[in-house]
Amino acid sequence: MAQSVPDFYNNEAVFAKYMSHRQRVDTANDTLEKPVIMDLILPVTGKRVLDLGCGDAAIGPELLQYGAASYLGVEGSHKMAATAKQTLAEMPEKIILHNIEDWTYPHAAFDLVIARLSLHYIANLAPIFTNVFQALTPTGKFVFSVEHPVITSSDKGWISETNRQDWLVDDYFTTGLRVTNWLGGTVQKYHRTVEDYFRLLQAAGFMIEGLREACPKRENFQDVKTYERRSRIPLFLILAASKPL
Ligand SMILES: C[S@@+](CC[C@H](N)C(=O)[O-])C[C@H]1O[C@@H](n2cnc3c(N)ncnc32)[C@H](O)[C@@H]1O
């Protein structure tokens, strides 16, 4: 039986594996996802930033160093939120332990909302996108990353805990719940097509400014074999959206 996603990350063994996974050389997050996020959000000077599903909030101090006016993380896992509070030791009040779905979003309070690899865990994105739209100032921007739909479509042929050798894209247009084994636990996520994300943003009132697939760049990798492996299939989809002027 799959746990709720914050409970998945609350699991002692899963949490430990996740944190050590993120420390490895050439992680997909550092080599693929983060460079695109930074490319889409910088400069952040003077911006009030909201981070949905912030995890350990490692990006928080970095954005503040880049000149962001403030950083607020919302995180549903108490273990992640506790780690995030340590990351932001000077201002632990900047981390809110809450689900993304039912947090009360303040109106026009942020210039930038980011959500990195948290939204594919959520069953119903439409109300969240509407909340994000209202939480942004008129010139605000929304940038999020999700596991790429070719990845969430199917994990057939993948033996959990091994390096995937081949990828099978299947059931692409059969959207919805997927239950998968990862980090020694069982997690549920939601598969959507690229078009679904696009339409959900439009339905909330957003104008889409950018769509990226985190194409690997050699200079971001220490290991050439990892670079070649990452050149085989997209792992992430990243969208940037703003309010129409
Ligand atoms: C893969 S981690 C990414 C963490 C961070 N954004 C990063 O990129 O380093 C996904 C995070 O989203 C959080 N999350 C998932 N679903 C959530 C929900 N419904 N409400 C709040 N947090 C959620 C998880 O607890 C986890 O910390």
Side-chain angles (χ1 to χ4, degrees):
M1 176 78 178
Q3 302 160 300
S4 81
V5 173
D7 278 348
F8 170 78
Y9 285 97
N10 284 336
N11 177 292
E12 200 79 51
V14 167
F15 181 77
K17 262 194 185 172
Y18 176 82
M19 294 310 276
S20 81
H21 195 77
R22 291 293 299 266
Q23 298 309 315
R24 292 180 315 181
V25 172
D26 282 351
T27 63
N29 307 70
D30 293 340
T31 55
L32 301 171
E33 189 257 359
K34 189 177 170 200
V36 177
I37 293 283
M38 297 310 271
D39 191 33
L40 291 169
I41 68 176
L42 291 177
V44 290
T45 319
K47 290 190 179 169
R48 294 160 292 169
V49 183
L50 171 66
D51 187 357
L52 299 174
C54 65
D56 65 1
I59 200 169
E62 209 174 326
L63 295 183
L64 292 168
Q65 270 193 343
Y66 272 114
S70 63
Y71 172 87
L72 183 68
V74 174
E75 172 53 51
S77 149
H78 65 77
K79 276 187 101 58
M80 282 290 186
T83 309
K85 284 185 186 209
Q86 286 169 13
T87 309
L88 291 167
E90 308 282 295
M91 32 183 191
E93 75 283 0
K94 292 298 182 186
I95 298 298
I96 296 173
L97 174 61
H98 215 288
N99 280 343
I100 294 167
E101 292 92 323
D102 46 19
W103 185 55
T104 305
Y105 290 69
H107 191 80
F110 303 99
D111 308 291
L112 174 67
V113 177
I114 59 174
R116 299 176 60 206
L117 301 174
S118 54
L119 297 182
H120 55 266
Y121 292 123
I122 289 177
N124 187 7
L125 279 187
I128 291 161
F129 282 7
T130 301
N131 281 331
V132 169
F133 189 88
Q134 288 170 0
L136 283 167
T137 56
T139 54
K141 194 168 173 180
F142 180 31
V143 177
F144 69 89
S145 60
V146 285
E147 275 187 22
H148 199 288
V150 299
I151 300 292
T152 54
S153 72
S154 168
D155 64 6
K156 282 178 198 167
W158 177 41
I159 302 163
S160 169
E161 311 298 321
T162 63
N163 250 356
R164 212 163 170 171
Q165 297 306 321
D166 292 294
W167 289 263
L168 198 99
V169 179
D170 199 358
D171 299 322
Y172 186 80
F173 291 107
T174 308
T175 56
L177 182 65
R178 299 291 193 270
V179 179
T180 192
N181 297 318
W182 189 48
L183 303 173
T186 304
V187 67
Q188 46 190 44
K189 42 184 140 177
Y190 292 86
H191 166 64
R192 298 178 177 85
T193 66
V194 175
E195 184 175 328
D196 288 338
Y197 284 111
F198 203 88
R199 283 180 187 271
L200 278 160
L201 282 170
Q202 283 184 325
F206 283 107
M207 203 174 66
I208 289 93
E209 282 190 349
L211 184 156
R212 305 272 292 271
E213 293 178 298
C215 175
K217 289 189 179 148
R218 178 66 189 93
E219 65 267 26
N220 290 342
F221 291 80
Q222 291 188 31
D223 176 38
V224 69
K225 288 224 170 331
T226 308
Y227 165 70
E228 285 166 1
R229 182 176 150 73
R230 294 306 184 205
S231 302
R232 293 182 61 197
I233 192 155
L235 293 191
F236 304 115
L237 173 70
I238 301 109
L239 282 149
S242 59
K243 294 187 171 191
L245 294 176

